[in-house]
Amino acid sequence: MITDADWRKLLHTRAFEPGAIASAYAARRRRPLLGPSGTLFLVAADHPARGALGAAGDPTAMADRRSLLERLLIALENPAVDGVLGTPDIIEELLLLHGLHDKVVIGSMNRGGLAGADWEIDDRFTAYSAESIVDYRLDGGKMLLRLVNSDAGTAPTLHACAEAVSSLASAGVMAMVEPLPYERRDGSLVLQDDAASLARAVTVASGIGRTSAHTWLKLPAPADPSAVLGATTLPSLVLGGPDADTSLWDKTLRHPVVRGLVVGRTLLYPPDGDVAAAVATAASLLRSTREEISA
């Protein structure tokens, strides 16, 4: 997908033409957030900025930037993929490679809670700000909100996310909040994926900011969708991390608040290496499920 000539041009632009990035933001052809189908299918690539590089059993898979960009371009080539979620570096490289015209672009905001760090839950906003998302004409901003009752780092993260939700809403821009309940066990963070914990996280995320008019949620597929997703009316997207139970997607996608998928490493680094096939399978599942609901 990326020729040697294209790669050399990208590196040259990075070194000699930094102003080209602002021009690429300004020139991007935009589209509505939701298309005729009323669904949203995004590929996610904001993991490297948090130091989370592992995929498909390789602890540094996502450290190979050319490979990551090629995988993203393959995914984006599928017309069923509506867009991408990423940090400024990745979004800007995709822009320079002309891969984001007529695609939805969601900027990732808080990446300061580095994977494995002692301060991981105090997740500072170190990537896009609400102001830059508006200035660069992006379609939304995503923030991770990990809730840990025993970690005081939850409080500043919760406050920062609330401020970001309010700022994005004041500009009429989507705020995508990913609330995940965790607890510490023997020094490690463990996701609490039971219905009660997830529903509590949903209600906390739904209530932050001065208005929820432009808030969307990004959630794991729960074993009991009704108990978890019944806790909100906000449009929601199902995430798919490397440990995601994709067998739960079908049931979750049928819930009326769910509008689609946000999937990263599961599709970009499938076990057989066929990114196009993995993306096509997920797109087919989303399409067939929504068609059944509409029938």
Side-chain angles (χ1 to χ4, degrees), residues 113-266:
L114 302 185
D118 292 341
W119 69 87
E120 186 171 349
I121 298 305
D122 186 347
D123 207 341
R124 306 296 176 97
F125 279 58
T126 56
Y128 284 110
S129 63
E131 181 182 26
S132 65
I133 285 170
V134 174
D135 288 346
Y136 294 145
R137 303 167 55 253
L138 301 190
D139 303 295
K142 174 259 183 179
M143 59 208 78
L144 177 60
L145 177 57
R146 287 168 293 186
L147 304 170
V148 183
N149 290 341
S150 62
D151 194 320
T154 296
T157 303
L158 184 62
H159 180 262
C161 288
E163 290 296 303
V165 167
S166 296
S167 296
L168 289 169
S170 67
V173 177
M174 178 243 264
M176 183 189 296
V177 184
E178 181 180 1
L180 296 176
Y182 278 86
E183 72 174 19
R184 287 198 182 275
R185 295 180 188 168
D186 301 323
S188 298
L189 289 169
V190 180
L191 177 66
Q192 303 304 288
D193 58 3
D194 60 283
S197 296
L198 289 172
R200 177 177 182 264
V202 164
T203 60
V204 170
S206 299
I208 63 173
R210 290 190 291 271
T211 177
S212 62
H214 295 276
T215 302
W216 287 51
L217 301 180
K218 178 174 181 271
L219 302 166
D224 186 352
S226 296
V228 176
L229 298 168
T232 188
T233 62
L234 298 180
S236 302
L237 300 172
V238 178
L239 66 88
D243 301 318
D245 185 351
T246 56
S247 67
L248 298 176
W249 283 359
D250 181 70
K251 185 166 58 171
T252 304
L253 289 171
R254 296 175 187 278
H255 195 281
V257 303
V258 174
R259 288 289 167 184
L261 291 165
V262 183
V263 191
R265 289 169 284 186
T266 301

Side-chain angles (χ1 to χ4, degrees), residues 67-123:
S67 172
L68 173 58
L69 292 173
E70 286 177 336
R71 292 165 186 269
L72 284 165
L73 290 171
I74 290 170
L76 289 164
E77 191 175 50
N78 188 317
V81 174
D82 294 292
V84 66
L85 185 163
T87 46
D89 54 333
I90 290 174
I91 296 301
E92 289 161 4
E93 285 154 6
L94 291 172
L95 284 169
L96 293 174
L97 291 166
H98 308 290
L100 295 181
H101 286 303
D102 303 310
K103 295 292 185 180
V104 171
V105 180
I106 307 297
S108 186
M109 304 175 74
N110 58 328
R111 299 282 83 189
L114 302 185
D118 292 341
W119 69 87
E120 186 171 349
I121 298 305
D122 186 347
D123 207 341

Side-chain angles (χ1 to χ4, degrees), residues 53-64 265 269:
L53 301 173
D58 180 350
T60 60
M62 299 189 81
D64 185 332
R265 289 169 284 186
Y269 297 87

